[in-house]
Amino acid sequence: MLELFTAERDALREVTPAVPVTTNFMSILHGLDYWSWAAAEDLVSDDAYPDPADPESHVAVALSYDLMRSLKRRPWLLLESAPSAVSWREVNVPKPPGMMRLHSLQAVAHGADGVMFFQWRQAKYGPEKFHSALLPHGGTATRGWQDTLRLGADLRRLAEVAGTATRAEVALVLGWDSWWGLEAPESMPSNRLKLKDLLLAWYAPLHARGIAVDLAPPDRDLSAYRVVIVPNLYLCTAEQAKALASVTGELVVGPFSGVVDESDQVHDGGAPGPLRELLGVAIDEFWPLADGVTQRVRHAGGDVGLARTWAEWPRVVGDAVEVLARYEGGDLDGLPAITRNGHATYLSCLLDDLRPVLDRVLHDVPALDVPLGVEATRRENHLFLLNHTSTPQQVALPQPGRDLLSETDLRGVITLAARDAVVLRIEGDT
């Protein structure tokens, strides 16, 4: 399919060479490798419809936006979003005042250089007649139209942000081959290992700390990152293992990694296959947890975590391996749960709380201290502060600067109104 598309793209350019080629990634089948597809594109675009009824939806959509930015490591386009309610959920909750603007600014904060909507004028008939629009049925007197005007004015004020980059010192590794293999139906030790859930489990605490994250394929040069996190790499080739071994910063690898090769054939000696020397462990047996079963994990510092879905029976094979946490109780009692070999950490379980692991590896990564529900992210010298809560929040600015939205100078501690935003230009700071 990729070769066919490339041929069609080249043919199109022979006729209309000025036409950029883009693909809406929301509409692509799950079975395509986005890294390869994006390489053939001029512009990455996406559809995004976070649920207004879900107070945590902004975290998952931030992860998808960072993926869009990472696919070509350049600005992208939000091709479709909803001004308010959609028409295809069981209950189609409208966006409360300020949320349409906030969601749009969030896309810009994560690298979008344009925000577009479905639909312009609300349809009068058909299956999407109750889907929101920039110009609603009620015309220019409506709240929706006033929100449209306000957003347009805001985006004009943010013109200088277009084209700017995001600098991330943390990478989340995402391998599409691994994704396909991991979620093969009716053939795995557990059908509850879902890659999107694994990515989000690591991304959410990073997002809460205001730490920028790139997503990257497992064979990319990852030497520029201070921390590289591999939530799962079920399918791992020798080349990918070599790329991970070249990481100079902290490396964290999640469970059920290095299990099969590119032909979905189990590696000789079992997991973690070509990662064994790097991680200093071997997995004797996978230990998925049944419904209602939990496995305690005690960290070396005394904190206790819980695994509810997945654990493993690991064996230390490296002479310098340090055990950071052990299983406590149950069939795995006393076995190493989290190990460290040099700069490489391996988790043999899925923990409810990953903060103790992150606290250990993020010591050199700058973070932004913001209240829960406030999102902080940067594009070069522009700091975006987005309040996703329904109450005002106090935020301490790391530096003074000029808010492009209100066109005022700000410093110290500010009050960020409910569902409001600040885009702070920090002079002399890149």
Side-chain angles (χ1 to χ4, degrees):
M1 182 177 287
L2 179 59
E3 289 77 13
L4 175 61
F5 175 80
T6 304
E8 290 176 344
R9 180 197 67 178
D10 293 342
L12 175 64
R13 283 180 172 157
E14 287 182 7
V15 179
T16 54
V19 175
V21 179
T22 181
T23 292
N24 176 3
F25 279 89
M26 180 66 85
S27 65
I28 296 180
L29 297 177
H30 174 69
L32 291 177
D33 182 341
Y34 285 13
W35 301 114
S36 299
W37 188 274
E41 303 292 308
D42 295 294
L43 177 66
V44 169
S45 66
D46 189 32
D47 294 357
Y49 292 94
D51 188 352
D54 179 2
E56 300 297 324
S57 64
H58 65 281
V59 181
V61 80
L63 171 59
S64 70
Y65 291 163
D66 282 342
L67 173 59
M68 295 303 112
R69 188 196 71 241
S70 300
L71 283 168
K72 290 188 75 70
R73 290 184 278 187
R74 67 174 67 163
W76 56 282
L77 173 67
L78 180 56
L79 190 65
E80 277 192 27
S81 57
S84 189
V86 298
S87 60
W88 37 263
R89 292 189 175 105
E90 185 173 353
V91 177
N92 297 298
V93 176
K95 292 183 178 180
M99 186 174 283
M100 184 266 267
R101 173 180 183 258
L102 190 67
H103 282 180
S104 300
L105 294 176
Q106 185 187 22
V108 177
H110 287 269
D113 269 3
V115 176
M116 300 176 68
F117 293 87
F118 179 85
Q119 46 192 328
W120 157 240
R121 186 189 298 272
Q122 197 166 15
K124 296 183 69 174
Y125 60 89
E128 291 178 312
K129 59 183 176 293
F130 299 122
H131 190 294
S132 59
L134 294 174
L135 182 60
H137 290 142
T140 57
T142 58
R143 174 182 76 93
W145 177 248
Q146 298 308 311
D147 287 347
T148 297
L149 296 180
R150 183 184 184 191
L151 178 62
D154 282 336
L155 293 177
R156 283 193 295 272
R157 295 187 185 99
L158 298 183
E160 67 183 64
V161 176
T164 58
T166 298
R167 181 173 178 263
E169 299 191 75
V170 176
L172 279 181
V173 170
L174 166 58
W176 254 278
D177 288 346
S178 203
W179 190 345
W180 309 337
L182 177 67
E183 299 186 16
E186 300 179 0
S187 67
M188 310 300 280
S190 172
N191 287 329
R192 296 177 181 175
L193 294 181
K194 305 298 184 183
L195 191 61
K196 287 191 291 186
D197 294 339
L198 300 180
L199 287 167
L200 191 58
W202 287 100
Y203 182 85
L206 295 167
H207 178 270
R209 300 182 191 206
I211 294 175
V213 176
D214 283 345
L215 286 94
D219 53 358
R220 178 179 290 175
D221 179 5
L222 301 168
S223 60
Y225 297 99
R226 294 191 186 186
V227 178
V228 174
I229 299 172
V230 187
N232 172 269
L233 197 61
Y234 164 74
L235 188 157
C236 180
T237 67
E239 292 75 17
Q240 291 169 347
K242 184 177 179 181
L244 293 180
S246 68
V247 171
T248 56
E250 296 281 354
L251 174 67
V252 182
V253 178
F256 205 45
S257 292
V259 181
V260 300
D261 64 13
E262 60 268 35
S263 300
D264 200 31
Q265 192 166 257
V266 174
H267 287 293
D268 291 341
L275 298 173
R276 186 178 296 110
E277 182 178 352
L278 173 63
L279 301 176
V281 296
I283 305 303
D284 281 5
E285 194 168 3
F286 305 120
W287 216 269
L289 303 174
D291 288 342
V293 175
T294 59
Q295 175 63 62
R296 286 165 60 92
V297 174
R298 183 172 293 277
H299 297 271
D303 293 338
V304 177
L306 282 180
R308 301 180 189 274
T309 305
W310 184 270
E312 295 171 354
W313 187 297
R315 174 167 40 91
V316 172
V317 296
D319 295 335
V321 174
E322 177 186 2
V323 177
L324 303 180
R326 293 187 180 274
Y327 292 113
E328 186 175 79
D331 298 322
L332 303 177
D333 185 48
L335 291 174
I338 304 174
T339 56
R340 181 178 175 86
N341 188 36
H343 68 290
T345 299
Y346 181 68
L347 282 75
S348 66
C349 53
L350 296 180
L351 287 174
D352 278 359
D353 186 357
L354 293 167
R355 287 176 297 179
V357 179
L358 290 172
D359 288 342
R360 177 180 284 269
V361 299
L362 291 174
H363 46 81
D364 289 332
V365 178
L368 287 168
D369 185 17
V370 291
L372 185 66
V374 174
E375 180 175 8
T377 189
R378 296 183 66 153
R379 291 182 65 171
E380 294 182 5
N381 66 323
H382 297 94
L383 172 63
F384 287 74
L385 296 169
L386 310 170
N387 182 6
H388 292 280
T389 76
S390 57
T391 58
Q393 300 292 327
Q394 300 291 112
V395 180
L397 301 180
Q399 292 172 260
R402 185 165 185 81
D403 177 24
L404 300 182
L405 297 175
S406 64
E407 299 180 327
T408 58
D409 294 327
L410 301 176
R411 64 174 61 245
V413 177
I414 65 169
T415 299
L416 198 56
R419 303 189 193 96
D420 201 1
V422 161
V423 181
L424 201 68
R425 183 209 294 133
I426 301 175
E427 299 295 347
D429 184 0
T430 59

